[in-house]
Amino acid sequence: MDYNITKELCIAFDKGYLDVERYALDWGYHTEYIDMVVDEIYAMATDIEALRPLAYDNACTFVVSELFQSPENIRYLMKQHKNKLTAEALRVLEFWAENPWFWCYYQIKEEVYPDFWRIQDLLTGKEHIYYSPYIKGMQDRCRKKNLCCFNLMFSNGTCLQYSRIISPFLFPVSDFTYFCSTVAPDKSLKEIQSKHYPTFLLLDLNMGASPLTYKDYELGFCWQSFTIPDFSIGDVEGSWKTKSIGSLQRYSFAQTSVSMIDLPNAEMFLTALDIMGGSLFRDTSTGEMALLTYSLPAYTFYCALLQRDYPHLVLPDKPLASISMDLQGLIRENDLSRPWKKFEPLFQFTYTWEPYVYTCRISLSI
């Protein structure tokens, strides 16, 4: 790739976009369902102070995403304004009608040439060359090189470019994927952003929250649901403390026993005790149960313990939810769907959630 020639192409596509942007926004504000979502975005910004500074850019981003992800909408815009659009605008619109824009959650891998970056799509694994003059400054502000970012992308036939807003997310990749599955299970990013864009903006409130660690181990919130019809805490090895509220019970692990020495990660009760806490939850009225730990090594340990004491029980290697405490707090604070909601009155940890909107989020009109 000749990066100097490619940069000229990028600049031409930037100019083409700027020539068409006002028509794109006008289309959006005169399209009923889009206007309703824009109103919702501004209403959220009124209620949530941290979302106010970029309310306009968030609204504009939604409008252009609905237009440029749809070949039908792009062709409609071309037809409506054909006599007003510049040659460059028509050229990029014709290209995007065949190659629509898309949302991308990616990690920055390396700078291959000034302003050109190799990135990896974290949902598909594909790598791309990406043009952005702003990545280096964003890395400096976030004090991190291999940033994970989320934004709207478009192709120019040679590399990728972006429009309006880049959101650098410092939280774990698992937070992003779990939040997607919470907002709209089994849906694509395009579907999620089209149908749930205002809700997805809540994720911006955690963008600057780095994972908590202890002795190089990541701390978080690991939750796995299951059932054991004949469950009795007396059948489970070790000592457990019991707490009950109505039909809800919590059994918190209190002490190991000699019989546990051969279980995976048992030695970590000596080397990293603080990450090895675990609790079992049970609703005696329904039989529902769950395991809660604050690290993946602890999850592995308690799964092995339960499956040894109840050989018929099969638990997955990775929990249903493995997320940061910040995301757990955001989900609870905004009352989003969560499988542990009914057991929250028994939660013992005290965790105050607050937004982490990072100052390195960049708003631009190309």
Side-chain angles (χ1 to χ4, degrees), residues 21 61 98 132 161 167 170 184 207 258 293 313 326 330 332 349 352:
E21 183 183 53
T61 297
E98 298 298 325
S132 172
Q161 296 176 242
S167 296
L170 302 190
M207 63 166 52
V258 175
T293 72
L313 178 64
D326 289 298
L330 182 144
R332 185 189 68 243
F349 58 82
T352 302

Side-chain angles (χ1 to χ4, degrees), residues 283-298:
D283 184 343
T284 58
S285 67
T286 64
E288 295 173 78
M289 294 190 66
L291 167 64
L292 169 64
T293 72
Y294 303 115
S295 71
L296 288 175

